[in-house]
Amino acid sequence: MTKIDDVARLAGVSTATVSRALRGLPTVSAATRRRVLAAAEQLQYAVSPNASRLAGGKTGTVAIVVPRITRWFFGTVVEAVEDFLDQNGYDLLLYNLGGREQTRQRVLRTASLHKRVDAIILVATPLRPTDVTALTKLDLPGVTISSGSGVPGWPYVRIDDVAAARTATRHLLDLGHTRIAHISGDPDDELAFTTHLDRRHGYQEALRAAGIRPDPSLDVESQFTIDGGIRATAELLARGEPPTAIFAACDEMAMGAMTALRDAGLRVPQDVSVIGVDDHDLAGVLGLSTIAQPAAEQGLLAARILLDPLGVRTADPYPGVAPHLRDAVADGEPPTPSVILPTRLVVRESTAPPRAH
């Protein structure tokens, strides 16, 4: 196999000059560059992308940090980011925190990322002051998904969780429901982050706009899982008169709610309507009404935003992003520093007017 030393000998230059010439650096004269390129072609020498990057102080790798890769939203985002980066010659290094404090500290507060990656994507990862300090010291470009920017200078890509919850609750109100329960995120669950607070705020805001005072007995906290939805709904039913509708903070919780209602002998939507947030892959199969959020697009846009500081250009500034979402990104030249993407109501069989008693 031909090595860079072979090219250097044939061209009559040093290996460092060969490296600079093949990388197109301006410190090599035109005549020398032609001689090196001719030697490389004669010897059929192929430049190693990894070696070229390392010679330029780059790793060719982007890190993505997620709370739990097994959850639908995080898995969808990671897949979109990985596909996009791969198309542009970058590798993805996944850090799955998995609820483990030791892993969190190792990734966010130590030198775990130092010299291993060129940029960082944080997905719904709450940051403590020590985390922010450690990430800032890395002096790497970064972007957050599904949260506000927690690191100075880092942009974000997210949806408006308050508006999403408001739309879901208004849908139930428009159907005629007034006794509407909310299954919210557990503040002790790292997955809830600020999402549960924003979605609760939107739920309460819609109720108040309709002249309904939020009832604390109809608001139950649980984990963002199917089991969490089952437990929360069972608790709701144990409190007395069941609600006529449930707004769950995510689709997986909504699926759990539908399961618990069925186990209790209640029908969806005849006895209790249910709506969630996400448009999970199984939402259509289960007939679940939901607020669809563009999960994959959030990953695509976050990866795209990182390309400029990494020196990568693409012909299409937002490849893979639907036209109606492109319009929502922002005015002016891409990439936009921060993006709030729109959501949409998807009505299926799980919501209907309340049954007359």
Side-chain angles (χ1 to χ4, degrees):
M1 183 177 66
T2 303
K3 298 181 180 179
I4 192 171
D5 302 45
D6 302 321
V7 178
R9 276 193 297 270
L10 182 59
V13 298
S14 68
T15 56
T17 299
V18 172
S19 176
R20 289 194 296 271
L22 295 179
R23 284 156 52 205
L25 297 182
T27 53
V28 180
S29 69
T32 301
R33 191 186 315 280
R34 285 195 298 270
R35 194 161 69 249
V36 169
L37 291 175
E41 183 177 2
Q42 181 179 334
L43 296 174
Q44 296 184 329
Y45 175 72
V47 181
S48 166
N50 288 336
S52 178
R53 287 169 181 159
L54 290 173
K58 299 294 183 182
T59 68
T61 302
V62 172
I64 188 166
V65 181
V66 299
R68 292 185 189 272
I69 191 59
T70 54
R71 302 296 162 79
W72 172 83
F73 177 78
F74 304 127
T76 302
V77 167
V78 169
E79 183 177 19
V81 170
E82 184 172 32
D83 287 347
F84 183 77
L85 291 177
D86 181 64
Q87 293 169 21
N88 289 278
Y90 272 80
D91 295 324
L92 187 67
L93 180 59
L94 170 65
Y95 288 96
N96 177 33
L97 301 184
R100 298 179 293 271
E101 181 61 24
Q102 183 178 3
T103 303
R104 175 194 176 85
Q105 291 188 20
R106 177 174 59 81
V107 173
L108 297 179
R109 300 188 200 174
T110 68
S112 179
L113 296 169
H114 185 56
K115 294 185 178 179
R116 299 187 66 183
V117 299
D118 299 331
I120 305 169
I121 299 175
L122 297 180
V123 186
T125 304
L127 298 176
R128 298 161 188 165
T130 48
D131 301 330
V132 174
T133 299
L135 290 169
T136 301
K137 286 182 178 178
L138 290 175
D139 194 27
L140 293 174
V143 61
T144 63
I145 298 177
S146 192
S147 64
S149 181
V151 181
W154 285 25
Y156 58 79
V157 179
R158 62 182 177 87
I159 64 169
D160 186 335
D161 286 297
V162 175
R166 191 166 53 233
T167 299
T169 309
R170 281 177 178 169
H171 170 62
L172 298 174
L173 289 165
D174 290 344
L175 288 172
H177 295 278
T178 56
R179 187 170 172 77
I180 302 171
H182 177 46
I183 300 176
S184 179
D186 184 346
D188 293 328
D189 181 2
E190 81 280 3
L191 297 183
F193 195 15
T194 60
T195 301
H196 75 289
L197 297 175
D198 291 340
R199 292 181 185 176
R200 174 182 283 134
H201 179 68
Y203 157 76
Q204 294 178 343
E205 188 178 90
L207 290 180
R208 291 191 179 99
I212 300 172
R213 177 179 296 180
D215 184 349
S217 70
L218 293 177
D219 195 332
V220 180
E221 295 176 345
S222 192
Q223 284 71 41
F224 274 37
T225 63
I226 292 176
D227 286 342
I230 291 174
R231 289 192 296 270
T233 304
E235 182 176 338
L236 272 174
L237 298 178
R239 291 181 178 181
E241 180 186 356
T244 64
I246 296 175
F247 162 49
C250 75
D251 280 355
E252 288 172 271
M253 299 178 83
M255 294 172 193
M258 294 171 72
T259 300
L261 291 168
R262 180 197 62 205
D263 292 346
L266 296 171
R267 298 167 299 167
V268 176
Q270 292 89 341
D271 299 314
V272 182
S273 287
V274 178
I275 189 170
V277 177
D278 277 335
D279 204 17
H280 187 287
D281 290 342
L282 293 178
V285 176
L286 299 175
L288 175 63
S289 293
T290 187
I291 304 298
Q293 68 163 318
E297 285 83 353
Q298 290 181 63
L300 284 170
L301 287 173
R304 175 61 187 87
I305 286 172
L306 284 180
L307 289 187
D308 263 21
L310 294 179
V312 180
R313 301 292 184 269
T314 59
D316 184 346
Y318 297 117
V321 178
H324 74 283
L325 294 176
R326 296 179 185 218
D327 294 341
V329 169
D331 297 326
E333 292 298 319
T336 304
S338 291
V339 179
I340 300 179
L341 292 174
T343 56
R344 61 188 176 88
L345 172 66
V346 179
V347 179
R348 298 190 177 103
E349 294 81 11
S350 70
T351 52
R355 185 180 61 173
H357 293 282

